[in-house]
């Protein structure tokens, strides 16, 4: 019985490690020339939920699992809640929803081209054209 428990624990540990290794680490990025050096997830959410015009947010497509993960981590909201927020802001003329890009490379390119750009991508896609200001756990 003791051997079986040891094998089960070992298998669970290996499986947990494998799933954690497969999970994408998301980062919030800004233009490399932007003076911002760090921000909290809550601060980042302000720009992606239309509460501050200081930055110009760029989103991944609604179909991207990274988008759902991002909003859950920074704002504890699912995509339907985010869509409702933006629908109200757009309808009342108080905001313009973030522009959607197809993938990490397009988000990075858009942020790199805009001094006030802000986006989120997988950490593995970061290069010198952008600056990481938040790492999402």
């Amino acid at each position: 019985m003791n051997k079986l428990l040891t094998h089960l624990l070992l298998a669970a540990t290996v499986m947990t490690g494998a799933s954690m290794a497969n999970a994408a680490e998301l980062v919030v990025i800004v233009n490399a020339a932007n003076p911002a050096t760090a921000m909290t997830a809550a601060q980042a959410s302000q720009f992606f939920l239309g509460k501050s015009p200081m930055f110009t947010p760029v989103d991944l497509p609604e179909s991207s699992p990274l988008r759902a993960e991002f909003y859950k981590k920074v704002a504890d909201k699912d995509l339907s809640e985010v869509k409702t927020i933006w629908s109200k802001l757009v309808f009342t003329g108080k905001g313009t929803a973030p522009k959607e890009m197809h993938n990490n490379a397009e988000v990075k390119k858009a942020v790199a081209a805009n001094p006030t750009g802000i986006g989120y991508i997988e950490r593995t896609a970061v290069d010198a054209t952008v600056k990481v200001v938040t790492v999402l756990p």
Side-chain angles (χ1 to χ4, degrees):
M1 180 75 162
N2 205 7
K3 251 186 178 179
L4 178 61
L5 184 58
T6 301
H7 286 292
L8 287 173
L9 287 174
L10 180 60
T13 302
V14 169
M15 289 173 64
T16 302
S19 67
M20 289 176 82
N22 291 334
E25 185 175 34
L26 288 176
V27 294
V28 177
I29 57 168
V30 296
N31 183 284
N34 192 302
T37 57
M39 70 177 62
T40 65
Q43 289 169 325
S45 75
Q46 301 299 302
F47 309 116
F48 287 92
L49 297 176
K51 295 180 180 179
S52 173
M54 184 183 288
F55 288 93
T56 305
V58 180
D59 245 335
L60 286 169
E62 262 189 84
S63 60
S64 171
L66 295 177
R67 182 170 173 164
E69 181 183 347
F70 171 77
Y71 282 103
K72 196 64 171 165
K73 286 183 174 182
V74 300
D76 195 28
K77 298 205 178 300
D78 63 36
L79 292 182
S80 65
E81 292 173 300
V82 173
K83 192 172 190 172
T84 299
I85 290 167
W86 277 110
S87 293
K88 289 177 185 175
L89 290 171
V90 169
F91 181 74
T92 59
K94 295 181 179 176
T96 303
K99 188 170 184 178
E100 285 187 22
M101 298 297 164
H102 292 98
N103 54 42
N104 285 323
E106 287 185 13
V107 170
K108 182 174 60 174
K109 185 177 178 181
V111 170
N114 182 346
T116 63
I118 187 169
Y120 55 93
I121 59 175
E122 292 177 76
R123 185 178 203 129
T124 57
V126 172
D127 63 22
T129 64
V130 294
K131 181 176 16 175
V132 173
V133 292
T134 307
V135 176
L136 299 172

